[in-house]
Amino acid sequence: MDRPYPRLLVADFAACFRFYDAVLPSLAGARLAKGGPEGPYANWDRDDEAVLSLFARTAMAAALGTADLPGRPAVPAQDDAMLVLRVDDVDRGFALCEERGGLAVAAPADRPAWGPNLRSAHLRDPEGRLIELQSY
C-alpha cells in the first residue's frame, strides 16, 4: 500500500506531464510507472511507492459529475497548497526546473528561521502550482 501522495488535477495534461517527467527523476528519484503525455493519467514511483500522479481535470470532473462547474479562477490569489520536494542540491534542482519550464518565484536561499541548515527555492509548474525545493 502506498503512503499518501499528491495527485494533481491538471488542465494541460501534456505540458504538466513533460515538466514532471523531466524533473522528478533527478529531484525525487522517481520514475514513470504508468501513463504518458496523452493522459488522462500518469504516475511516478520511487522504490514501488507512489511519489506523484497527474489526472486530467476534465476526467475527474466527469467522474464526479461536476463538469458543468467552473474551473480554477484566473484571478491572482494566495496559494492554498504546494508540492514540497526534498532534494540534495536546491540550486541544481532550481536550475533544472527553470530549464524545463518552471517559473521562478523565489531563488534559492538559506532560511535559518525555518530550521537549521534549511535551504529552499520556490517555482511554479506549467499550470502555476507552487513547488518548494528544500534541503536540510
Side-chain angles (χ1 to χ4, degrees), residues 85-128:
L85 298 170
R86 187 171 177 188
V87 299
D88 292 329
D89 185 328
V90 169
D91 297 73
R92 191 174 72 224
F94 186 78
L96 172 66
C97 288
E98 280 192 306
E99 289 167 10
R100 299 304 184 150
L103 177 64
V105 175
D110 294 330
R111 305 211 185 270
W114 293 6
N117 304 315
L118 195 136
R119 186 167 179 77
S120 71
H122 295 85
L123 303 106
R124 294 199 182 278
D125 77 3
E127 289 199 348

Side-chain angles (χ1 to χ4, degrees), residues 22-126:
V23 302
L24 284 174
S26 293
L27 297 179
R31 301 282 179 235
L32 181 65
K34 182 178 180 183
E38 68 284 350
Y41 178 86
N43 71 278
W44 290 263
D45 291 358
R46 180 182 55 228
D47 300 328
D48 296 322
E49 283 280 332
V51 171
L52 178 75
S53 69
L54 300 179
F55 194 49
R57 182 176 293 136
T58 55
M60 188 81 252
L64 298 177
T66 59
D68 58 334
L69 297 177
R72 293 175 76 200
V75 296
Q78 292 183 356
D79 296 285
D80 56 6
M82 73 177 164
L83 176 63
V84 178
L85 298 170
R86 187 171 177 188
V87 299
D88 292 329
D89 185 328
V90 169
D91 297 73
R92 191 174 72 224
F94 186 78
L96 172 66
C97 288
E98 280 192 306
E99 289 167 10
R100 299 304 184 150
L103 177 64
V105 175
D110 294 330
R111 305 211 185 270
W114 293 6
N117 304 315
L118 195 136
R119 186 167 179 77
S120 71
H122 295 85
L123 303 106
R124 294 199 182 278
D125 77 3

